[in-house]
């Protein structure tokens, strides 16, 4: 079964175009190194919570928007090898600072157990 890397972050709303450009360049790298698909989403209906919520999880500020995305890989092994290649790639090294605070990003890898 496939493997998925997922993330949630917050991006300054005024930097949407910069985020989209960054996401598209990263998607090209991931696909080049074996990703099946890459999806990046801009928050549209992401309510704040009192106990848990996407905005709380990433400490979203009033002038920021929550983003959510995932990369689907054929397997964890392909993903692990791809990440090594992505991190060593010159394009990644020259990409500069991403348009979000990586310290407030939540990410992780997930074994897919169901998909319709």
């Amino acid at each position: 079964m496939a493997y998925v890397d997922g993330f949630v972050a917050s991006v300054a709303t005024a930097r949407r175009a910069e985020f989209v450009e960054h996401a598209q360049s990263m998607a090209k790298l991931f696909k080049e190194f074996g990703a099946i698909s890459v999806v990046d989403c801009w928050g549209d209906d992401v309510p704040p919570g009192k106990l848990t919520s996407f905005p709380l999880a990433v400490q979203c500020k009033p002038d920021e928007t929550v983003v959510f995305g995932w990369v689907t890989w054929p397997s964890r092994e392909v993903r692990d090898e791809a990440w090594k290649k992505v991190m060593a790639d010159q394009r990644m090294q020259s990409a500069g600072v991403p348009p979000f605070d990586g310290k407030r990003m939540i990410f992780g890898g997930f074994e897919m157990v169901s998909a319709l």
Side-chain angles (χ1 to χ4, degrees), residues 1-31:
M1 180 89 36
Y3 196 80
V4 176
D5 279 326
F7 79 92
V8 179
S10 59
V11 177
T13 304
R15 297 180 75 183
R16 179 180 173 144
E18 188 179 345
F19 170 76
V20 170
E21 184 178 322
H22 173 79
Q24 290 172 343
S25 67
M26 291 303 300
K28 288 178 186 173
L29 274 178
F30 293 143
K31 295 280 286 197

Side-chain angles (χ1 to χ4, degrees), residues 11-99:
V11 177
T13 304
R15 297 180 75 183
R16 179 180 173 144
E18 188 179 345
F19 170 76
V20 170
E21 184 178 322
H22 173 79
Q24 290 172 343
S25 67
M26 291 303 300
K28 288 178 186 173
L29 274 178
F30 293 143
K31 295 280 286 197
E32 182 178 326
F33 294 125
I36 296 169
S37 66
V38 180
V39 178
D40 292 288
C41 306
W42 189 262
D44 179 55
D45 183 17
V46 187
K50 293 186 189 287
L51 183 59
T52 63
S53 69
F54 284 121
L56 284 172
V58 295
Q59 300 172 8
C60 193
K61 298 174 183 171
D63 63 340
E64 294 178 329
T65 300
V66 173
V67 296
F68 173 67
W70 64 92
V71 181
T72 306
W73 303 96
S75 66
R76 170 131 189 216
E77 294 75 25
V78 170
R79 174 261 207 170
D80 289 349
E81 287 303 311
W83 268 108
K84 291 175 191 173
K85 293 174 185 174
V86 166
M87 296 310 288
D89 192 280
Q90 181 58 39
R91 293 167 289 181
M92 180 69 166
Q93 303 304 318
S94 61
V97 178

